[in-house]
Amino acid sequence: MDDKTARSLALSGLLDGVPCDLYEETLDKLRVHEKRYLDGELLLRLGERPDAVGVVVEGYVRIDLYDDDGNASTIAVVGRGGVFAESVACAGDPSIVQAQAVSNVRVLWLDMGCMMTGRAMLETPYAGVIMANNVRMLARKNTMLVRKMQLLSQKRLRDRIKLYLLQRESGLVPKDTMAEKSRVSLARYLGADRSALSRELSRLRDEGIVSLDGGAIDVIDRDFLER
């Protein structure tokens, strides 16, 4: 196992409690496999029933949620160490999200079906540890979705931007998010029109509230977040 893969697994939290020197041995027994994807390629399709959890080793993966009419809203952009597909892998239900590479991506897939069997417990004592970590991560994802619903419930676009920046500044949304590097991606995340988002960000810049530099958004007037 290369250092980048080991660091990504450590960042994911999925192997918390597993000694680093036993990562490779443990994963080998749990049918873990690696796969590479090109920018724009789908990792998880709507309606698919995956039996594995993905851990991003390199690149970025965008997770989109679709409503009954087929309209997409970006839930998150997952970078190195990020985990996705754990809910559908454990539930065995058709996926209502779609995962797409937004750069060249390398992913480790962990077979949850294997881990939920008694055989896995016999193969390695750490199968239960990984499952417990997965449950903890599912709880955190649930909290994240509640925050996203809170964001989308804001009627004014300015209030959505403010709440997004507040969550980001509080560490609830990663500041180095791929979404900010593209106004299209950020608009999808905020459930807004790209042109409307660009206009509102320009107004915030002209009012001295934020600065816009190469796609990055930095808060200048921090009182804006408290109003």
Side-chain angles (χ1 to χ4, degrees):
M1 178 181 297
D2 60 78
D3 288 343
K4 182 172 286 188
T5 301
R7 288 197 300 272
S8 299
L9 286 167
L11 284 171
S12 75
L14 201 55
L15 268 65
D16 284 357
V18 179
C20 294
D21 58 343
L22 293 180
Y23 277 7
E24 189 164 10
E25 176 186 334
T26 300
L27 296 180
D28 282 346
K29 292 178 179 179
L30 295 174
R31 299 178 187 171
V32 173
H33 66 280
E34 179 181 298
K35 190 169 180 180
R36 294 176 183 267
Y37 300 85
L38 299 177
D39 186 3
E41 194 172 352
L42 291 179
L43 289 72
L44 175 63
R45 290 174 170 80
L46 287 174
E48 189 175 347
R49 295 176 183 265
D51 58 4
V53 173
V55 179
V56 180
V57 177
E58 293 179 11
Y60 290 90
V61 176
R62 189 182 71 220
I63 312 299
D64 292 328
L65 176 68
Y66 286 79
D67 62 19
D68 292 340
D69 296 322
N71 300 310
S73 175
T74 298
I75 299 175
V77 179
V78 182
R80 193 182 76 167
V83 178
F84 64 96
E86 63 270 47
S87 297
V88 286
C90 290
D93 294 331
S95 177
I96 59 171
V97 299
Q98 179 171 282
Q100 183 173 12
V102 288
S103 66
N104 290 340
V105 173
R106 182 156 63 106
V107 172
L108 280 181
W109 290 101
L110 285 70
D111 189 331
M112 296 305 295
C114 171
M115 274 188 276
M116 289 190 286
T117 65
R119 187 188 65 78
M121 299 296 181
L122 295 175
E123 290 282 344
T124 171
Y126 295 109
V129 172
I130 296 173
M131 283 302 302
N133 290 335
N134 190 56
V135 170
R136 189 177 302 110
M137 294 169 72
L138 284 171
R140 290 172 181 163
K141 282 285 178 71
N142 183 64
T143 302
M144 182 195 74
L145 287 173
V146 171
R147 293 193 189 107
K148 183 67 186 292
M149 290 172 61
Q150 180 188 21
L151 187 148
L152 294 178
S153 69
Q154 306 300 312
K155 297 188 182 303
R156 295 198 312 158
L157 179 54
R158 175 170 289 221
D159 290 335
R160 292 189 188 185
I161 295 171
K162 179 172 75 172
L163 185 55
Y164 165 77
L165 293 172
L166 183 60
Q167 291 179 352
R168 193 194 68 178
E169 294 297 309
S170 302
L172 302 177
V173 176
K175 186 168 184 177
D176 184 25
T177 175
M178 190 72 172
E180 283 185 28
K181 298 182 180 179
S182 164
R183 288 290 178 261
V184 174
S185 296
L186 185 56
R188 285 173 66 101
Y189 185 81
L190 296 175
D193 176 76
R194 184 193 61 79
S195 297
L197 174 63
S198 294
R199 286 195 299 271
E200 192 60 44
L201 286 174
S202 294
R203 292 191 191 102
L204 291 171
R205 179 197 59 201
D206 295 343
E207 293 171 24
I209 294 173
V210 303
S211 66
L212 308 175
D213 182 16
I217 306 168
D218 291 313
V219 179
I220 297 173
D221 181 4
R222 306 193 67 81
D223 290 341
F224 168 72
L225 300 180
E226 306 301 327
R227 305 200 278 268

